[in-house]
Amino acid sequence: MNRLTHERCSGIKPGYWSPQRKEILIDRLGQYEDTGLTPVEILELKSRHRELLKAAEESR
């Protein structure tokens, strides 16, 4: 996944976000919120997925 946000210097992101860019950010945030998952839950799922893939590869 491509990151949409950037590090901030003193809380301020350098540069300017166009209205189109803001729309993309809002849409992506909505997709995340629609999952109903917290960031921690997503990381746990990613970790479990990696474990399952590894186990599947080892069983071949």
Side-chain angles (χ1 to χ4, degrees):
M1 177 172 92
N2 293 331
R3 190 173 174 93
L4 295 175
T5 58
H6 305 281
E7 276 193 45
R8 298 179 182 276
C9 179
S10 301
I12 299 171
K13 178 192 173 291
Y16 169 76
W17 285 353
S18 69
Q20 295 84 8
R21 184 69 170 166
K22 288 178 188 176
E23 188 66 29
I24 291 169
L25 292 169
I26 290 168
D27 287 344
R28 287 280 295 274
L29 176 59
Q31 291 172 4
Y32 158 71
E33 291 175 330
D34 288 346
T35 70
L37 299 170
T38 67
V40 170
E41 290 170 326
I42 291 171
L43 291 173
E44 289 171 355
L45 285 172
K46 284 177 64 176
S47 176
R48 183 66 179 135
H49 183 252
R50 279 189 217 105
E51 292 170 7
L52 290 171
L53 287 176
K54 183 178 177 182
E57 287 292 321
E58 291 172 353
S59 69
R60 287 186 186 181

